Amino acid sequence: MAALTGLEPVAAAPARAPRARVWRGAVFLVAGLYFLVPLGASLWYTLHSPAAGVSFAPYAELLTAEGFARSLLLSLGLAAATIAVVLLLALPAMLAARLFAPRLRPVLEVLCTLPLVVPPITFVAGLATSLRTGTEVLAPTPFWATIIAVQDPGFPVVLVLAYVVLVLPFVYRSLDAGLRTMDVRTLVEAARNLGASWPYVLFRVVVPNLRSALASASFLTLALVLGEYTVASLLGYEPFAVWIVTVSGSRGQLSVAVSILSLLIIWLLLLAVSTVFGRERKS
């Protein structure tokens, strides 16, 4: 039959070696122990005490602790604002560089990844000096109220601006990986030739093809903002990460309970973002 058709018989795929399955199971077991044992030990520390035995009192006390809800809502608001600002800045800039100025792509890449080589302590020291000097210089001008407003403890816009700089390398890498998987120029030219406006091209043609990259960028931004401590602490603000450290100095079980709860919250938020992007992809 092979001689008549000219086709070589397809060889059967070799069965998977049992040794590979054993190694795979061993890797998963080691990884699971690496992540779950510390979490289990932390959970047991919050639930058990030699005097009272097993008790959920730290978790019940957590919901009524002073500053818990305020700091958590502040961190979530900062994360949402940072995601919106960094995506609105990075995506149009990267599209413009790809479509109209390809020679500027290396320059844009260097600028976006530059925060990786700047230590956070140096970054926040420069930011604090700039705010202090700017407040003194702008005192006799109408812009003084603006620089005071961005430092409002209720919602410090200056933290959003600082977080945008910190997450820019990760967002750039995520979006760049997504843009490399599609022919942006052909899609945009086809949409424009059919009469689509630039906002329509951006939100109805380009963005739907970048859902995975946008979800990845949102994941990284959310995780970084919720766990960031250095910038917020040195600038004198108290989002969730700073509040955890503040509480840990006086109440050990409560601080560990907050850490476990923060992990669960981050996992749930990441799962929610993944579910939203997954539903949009299916639809």
PDB file of all heavy atoms in Angstrom, residues 194-209:
ATOM      1  N   LEU A 194     -10.964  49.959   5.573  1.00  0.00           N
ATOM      2  CA  LEU A 194     -12.410  49.722   5.623  1.00  0.00           C
ATOM      3  C   LEU A 194     -13.158  50.872   6.279  1.00  0.00           C
ATOM      4  O   LEU A 194     -14.371  50.786   6.490  1.00  0.00           O
ATOM      5  CB  LEU A 194     -12.690  48.420   6.388  1.00  0.00           C
ATOM      6  CG  LEU A 194     -12.230  47.141   5.667  1.00  0.00           C
ATOM      7  CD1 LEU A 194     -12.416  45.935   6.571  1.00  0.00           C
ATOM      8  CD2 LEU A 194     -13.004  46.951   4.362  1.00  0.00           C
ATOM      9  N   GLY A 195     -12.450  51.935   6.638  1.00  0.00           N
ATOM     10  CA  GLY A 195     -13.103  53.125   7.167  1.00  0.00           C
ATOM     11  C   GLY A 195     -13.166  53.208   8.677  1.00  0.00           C
ATOM     12  O   GLY A 195     -13.876  54.070   9.215  1.00  0.00           O
ATOM     13  N   ALA A 196     -12.448  52.359   9.401  1.00  0.00           N
ATOM     14  CA  ALA A 196     -12.498  52.393  10.870  1.00  0.00           C
ATOM     15  C   ALA A 196     -11.673  53.566  11.388  1.00  0.00           C
ATOM     16  O   ALA A 196     -10.618  53.892  10.845  1.00  0.00           O
ATOM     17  CB  ALA A 196     -11.947  51.083  11.432  1.00  0.00           C
ATOM     18  N   SER A 197     -12.177  54.189  12.439  1.00  0.00           N
ATOM     19  CA  SER A 197     -11.449  55.296  13.069  1.00  0.00           C
ATOM     20  C   SER A 197     -10.326  54.736  13.936  1.00  0.00           C
ATOM     21  O   SER A 197     -10.297  53.531  14.243  1.00  0.00           O
ATOM     22  CB  SER A 197     -12.396  56.137  13.915  1.00  0.00           C
ATOM     23  OG  SER A 197     -12.942  55.348  14.956  1.00  0.00           O
ATOM     24  N   TRP A 198      -9.407  55.600  14.375  1.00  0.00           N
ATOM     25  CA  TRP A 198      -8.292  55.138  15.193  1.00  0.00           C
ATOM     26  C   TRP A 198      -8.748  54.574  16.538  1.00  0.00           C
ATOM     27  O   TRP A 198      -8.241  53.535  16.977  1.00  0.00           O
ATOM     28  CB  TRP A 198      -7.286  56.265  15.392  1.00  0.00           C
ATOM     29  CG  TRP A 198      -6.346  56.403  14.223  1.00  0.00           C
ATOM     30  CD1 TRP A 198      -6.310  57.416  13.306  1.00  0.00           C
ATOM     31  CD2 TRP A 198      -5.330  55.481  13.826  1.00  0.00           C
ATOM     32  NE1 TRP A 198      -5.339  57.184  12.372  1.00  0.00           N
ATOM     33  CE2 TRP A 198      -4.713  56.009  12.659  1.00  0.00           C
ATOM     34  CE3 TRP A 198      -4.894  54.269  14.315  1.00  0.00           C
ATOM     35  CZ2 TRP A 198      -3.681  55.359  12.010  1.00  0.00           C
ATOM     36  CZ3 TRP A 198      -3.849  53.614  13.673  1.00  0.00           C
ATOM     37  CH2 TRP A 198      -3.259  54.156  12.539  1.00  0.00           C
ATOM     38  N   PRO A 199      -9.713  55.235  17.248  1.00  0.00           N
ATOM     39  CA  PRO A 199     -10.204  54.592  18.492  1.00  0.00           C
ATOM     40  C   PRO A 199     -10.835  53.230  18.246  1.00  0.00           C
ATOM     41  O   PRO A 199     -10.657  52.300  19.039  1.00  0.00           O
ATOM     42  CB  PRO A 199     -11.227  55.608  19.019  1.00  0.00           C
ATOM     43  CG  PRO A 199     -10.777  56.915  18.455  1.00  0.00           C
ATOM     44  CD  PRO A 199     -10.232  56.597  17.102  1.00  0.00           C
ATOM     45  N   TYR A 200     -11.569  53.093  17.127  1.00  0.00           N
ATOM     46  CA  TYR A 200     -12.166  51.789  16.808  1.00  0.00           C
ATOM     47  C   TYR A 200     -11.077  50.745  16.545  1.00  0.00           C
ATOM     48  O   TYR A 200     -11.168  49.594  16.977  1.00  0.00           O
ATOM     49  CB  TYR A 200     -13.077  51.939  15.589  1.00  0.00           C
ATOM     50  CG  TYR A 200     -13.906  50.712  15.298  1.00  0.00           C
ATOM     51  CD1 TYR A 200     -15.190  50.591  15.808  1.00  0.00           C
ATOM     52  CD2 TYR A 200     -13.393  49.671  14.521  1.00  0.00           C
ATOM     53  CE1 TYR A 200     -15.954  49.466  15.541  1.00  0.00           C
ATOM     54  CE2 TYR A 200     -14.150  48.539  14.262  1.00  0.00           C
ATOM     55  CZ  TYR A 200     -15.430  48.443  14.768  1.00  0.00           C
ATOM     56  OH  TYR A 200     -16.165  47.324  14.521  1.00  0.00           O
ATOM     57  N   VAL A 201     -10.037  51.168  15.827  1.00  0.00           N
ATOM     58  CA  VAL A 201      -8.938  50.234  15.539  1.00  0.00           C
ATOM     59  C   VAL A 201      -8.270  49.777  16.828  1.00  0.00           C
ATOM     60  O   VAL A 201      -7.951  48.588  17.021  1.00  0.00           O
ATOM     61  CB  VAL A 201      -7.915  50.903  14.597  1.00  0.00           C
ATOM     62  CG1 VAL A 201      -6.661  50.045  14.476  1.00  0.00           C
ATOM     63  CG2 VAL A 201      -8.526  51.144  13.236  1.00  0.00           C
ATOM     64  N   LEU A 202      -8.082  50.742  17.745  1.00  0.00           N
ATOM     65  CA  LEU A 202      -7.377  50.409  18.986  1.00  0.00           C
ATOM     66  C   LEU A 202      -8.198  49.468  19.870  1.00  0.00           C
ATOM     67  O   LEU A 202      -7.677  48.440  20.342  1.00  0.00           O
ATOM     68  CB  LEU A 202      -7.044  51.701  19.741  1.00  0.00           C
ATOM     69  CG  LEU A 202      -6.330  51.529  21.075  1.00  0.00           C
ATOM     70  CD1 LEU A 202      -4.981  50.857  20.896  1.00  0.00           C
ATOM     71  CD2 LEU A 202      -6.149  52.878  21.768  1.00  0.00           C
ATOM     72  N   PHE A 203      -9.478  49.818  20.091  1.00  0.00           N
ATOM     73  CA  PHE A 203     -10.271  49.075  21.078  1.00  0.00           C
ATOM     74  C   PHE A 203     -11.021  47.880  20.494  1.00  0.00           C
ATOM     75  O   PHE A 203     -11.372  46.973  21.235  1.00  0.00           O
ATOM     76  CB  PHE A 203     -11.284  50.025  21.749  1.00  0.00           C
ATOM     77  CG  PHE A 203     -10.634  51.074  22.597  1.00  0.00           C
ATOM     78  CD1 PHE A 203     -10.543  52.388  22.171  1.00  0.00           C
ATOM     79  CD2 PHE A 203     -10.089  50.749  23.833  1.00  0.00           C
ATOM     80  CE1 PHE A 203      -9.929  53.353  22.945  1.00  0.00           C
ATOM     81  CE2 PHE A 203      -9.474  51.700  24.618  1.00  0.00           C
ATOM     82  CZ  PHE A 203      -9.390  53.006  24.176  1.00  0.00           C
ATOM     83  N   ARG A 204     -11.281  47.866  19.182  1.00  0.00           N
ATOM     84  CA  ARG A 204     -12.046  46.752  18.607  1.00  0.00           C
ATOM     85  C   ARG A 204     -11.213  45.842  17.732  1.00  0.00           C
ATOM     86  O   ARG A 204     -11.687  44.772  17.345  1.00  0.00           O
ATOM     87  CB  ARG A 204     -13.223  47.311  17.781  1.00  0.00           C
ATOM     88  CG  ARG A 204     -14.204  48.155  18.576  1.00  0.00           C
ATOM     89  CD  ARG A 204     -14.871  47.337  19.693  1.00  0.00           C
ATOM     90  NE  ARG A 204     -15.587  46.205  19.169  1.00  0.00           N
ATOM     91  CZ  ARG A 204     -16.847  46.251  18.767  1.00  0.00           C
ATOM     92  NH1 ARG A 204     -17.498  47.384  18.869  1.00  0.00           N
ATOM     93  NH2 ARG A 204     -17.442  45.170  18.302  1.00  0.00           N
ATOM     94  N   VAL A 205     -10.007  46.249  17.365  1.00  0.00           N
ATOM     95  CA  VAL A 205      -9.172  45.399  16.515  1.00  0.00           C
ATOM     96  C   VAL A 205      -7.916  44.941  17.248  1.00  0.00           C
ATOM     97  O   VAL A 205      -7.617  43.744  17.306  1.00  0.00           O
ATOM     98  CB  VAL A 205      -8.783  46.155  15.216  1.00  0.00           C
ATOM     99  CG1 VAL A 205      -7.841  45.300  14.364  1.00  0.00           C
ATOM    100  CG2 VAL A 205     -10.025  46.518  14.425  1.00  0.00           C
ATOM    101  N   VAL A 206      -7.180  45.885  17.852  1.00  0.00           N
ATOM    102  CA  VAL A 206      -5.896  45.545  18.467  1.00  0.00           C
ATOM    103  C   VAL A 206      -6.094  44.936  19.854  1.00  0.00           C
ATOM    104  O   VAL A 206      -5.537  43.870  20.161  1.00  0.00           O
ATOM    105  CB  VAL A 206      -5.003  46.789  18.545  1.00  0.00           C
ATOM    106  CG1 VAL A 206      -3.702  46.464  19.267  1.00  0.00           C
ATOM    107  CG2 VAL A 206      -4.714  47.325  17.146  1.00  0.00           C
ATOM    108  N   VAL A 207      -6.884  45.601  20.693  1.00  0.00           N
ATOM    109  CA  VAL A 207      -7.036  45.132  22.077  1.00  0.00           C
ATOM    110  C   VAL A 207      -7.595  43.707  22.155  1.00  0.00           C
ATOM    111  O   VAL A 207      -7.098  42.896  22.948  1.00  0.00           O
ATOM    112  CB  VAL A 207      -7.911  46.126  22.876  1.00  0.00           C
ATOM    113  CG1 VAL A 207      -8.313  45.539  24.220  1.00  0.00           C
ATOM    114  CG2 VAL A 207      -7.139  47.429  23.081  1.00  0.00           C
ATOM    115  N   PRO A 208      -8.620  43.327  21.372  1.00  0.00           N
ATOM    116  CA  PRO A 208      -9.108  41.938  21.465  1.00  0.00           C
ATOM    117  C   PRO A 208      -8.057  40.883  21.137  1.00  0.00           C
ATOM    118  O   PRO A 208      -8.143  39.759  21.609  1.00  0.00           O
ATOM    119  CB  PRO A 208     -10.265  41.910  20.454  1.00  0.00           C
ATOM    120  CG  PRO A 208     -10.736  43.306  20.385  1.00  0.00           C
ATOM    121  CD  PRO A 208      -9.515  44.146  20.523  1.00  0.00           C
ATOM    122  N   ASN A 209      -7.057  41.253  20.338  1.00  0.00           N
ATOM    123  CA  ASN A 209      -5.987  40.295  20.016  1.00  0.00           C
ATOM    124  C   ASN A 209      -4.869  40.301  21.036  1.00  0.00           C
ATOM    125  O   ASN A 209      -3.906  39.549  20.898  1.00  0.00           O
ATOM    126  CB  ASN A 209      -5.405  40.626  18.634  1.00  0.00           C
ATOM    127  CG  ASN A 209      -6.355  40.288  17.514  1.00  0.00           C
ATOM    128  OD1 ASN A 209      -6.550  39.128  17.168  1.00  0.00           O
ATOM    129  ND2 ASN A 209      -6.993  41.309  16.966  1.00  0.00           N
TER     130      ASN A 209
END
